[in-house]
Amino acid sequence: MNAAGVDVSEIRKEGYVLKESAIIRQYRKRWLVLTRTHLYTFKKDRSYLEPTEVVDLKACGTVKSADDITNKPYSFTVQVPDRNFYFTCVNDKERNEWVAAIGRATTESRRVRSYSEEIEYQEQQRRELEERRRMQQNGVLAGASAATGAGMATLANGQAGRPS
């Protein structure tokens, strides 16, 4: 596991998407990474450091197509209690793959664990929390939970729909 807490061996799917920013609602190019338990976004591909967003899949309520909501082709939403995340892909196939993969991971992250699996999971969560706290104290994760937006590029040439 690296400094951001992303265990590269746990990655199930990754690739570029456009993600709607939380504050100014602009779409920005992000490297989306799905693991067994989390969905991460990064400014750079394959860096796995300083995620701009971290979504715990246990909190995920719905993952579905969102073309009608966003008015953008090939879009989907990941809904958690405190926010709806909107993403846009290059094509319908890619969008469907993301929705299916996130849906599977969400279902698996909620499945009932045996006692020993639960103990192991809690221990892993404790270690990850300690690591994040240690890095926050060292200033490594300062500002990593929100995208700054300044100077961020969107996918050029319509690679992921029509950003507006």
Side-chain angles (χ1 to χ4, degrees):
M1 195 173 297
N2 65 24
V6 178
D7 184 346
V8 178
S9 69
E10 290 281 324
I11 294 175
R12 295 182 170 198
K13 183 168 177 59
E14 60 186 336
Y16 274 116
V17 297
L18 292 178
K19 183 187 83 59
E20 184 184 63
S21 66
I23 307 298
I24 58 177
R25 301 290 189 221
Q26 288 183 336
Y27 280 81
R28 297 194 175 98
K29 183 179 179 180
R30 292 290 183 255
W31 186 252
L32 189 61
V33 175
L34 174 67
T35 68
R36 168 177 78 75
T37 58
H38 290 86
L39 188 64
Y40 300 90
T41 62
F42 298 92
K43 291 180 182 178
K44 296 181 180 178
D45 65 337
R46 296 178 180 86
S47 69
Y48 312 115
L49 299 172
E50 299 180 11
T52 59
E53 301 284 358
V54 179
V55 178
D56 184 347
L57 295 177
K58 282 189 192 162
C60 182
T62 304
V63 181
K64 65 180 181 178
S65 174
D67 295 6
D68 56 335
I69 299 168
T70 64
N71 292 318
K72 293 187 177 295
Y74 320 126
S75 63
F76 68 95
T77 181
V78 175
Q79 299 173 346
V80 295
D82 54 341
R83 183 164 170 206
N84 292 338
F85 293 90
Y86 294 100
F87 301 94
T88 301
C89 297
V90 175
N91 56 46
D92 193 50
K93 179 180 182 287
E94 184 178 315
R95 186 237 341 249
N96 293 340
E97 288 173 358
W98 274 111
V99 169
I102 295 167
R104 280 190 303 272
T106 298
T107 300
E108 290 172 15
S109 71
R110 291 186 189 144
R111 88 169 170 82
V112 177
R113 291 185 277 274
S114 68
Y115 178 76
S116 60
E117 287 174 319
E118 184 62 27
I119 297 298
E120 182 179 331
Y121 174 77
Q122 289 176 3
E123 180 62 23
Q124 174 190 0
Q125 293 297 340
R126 184 191 60 74
R127 285 190 306 267
E128 289 176 3
L129 180 61
E130 286 175 2
E131 178 71 10
R132 278 193 293 276
R133 285 180 180 157
R134 185 180 58 75
M135 289 189 308
Q136 284 175 332
Q137 290 172 349
N138 294 333
V140 173
L141 291 179
S145 64
T148 61
M152 298 309 307
T154 57
L155 287 178
N157 304 324
Q159 291 178 350
R162 297 180 299 256
S164 56

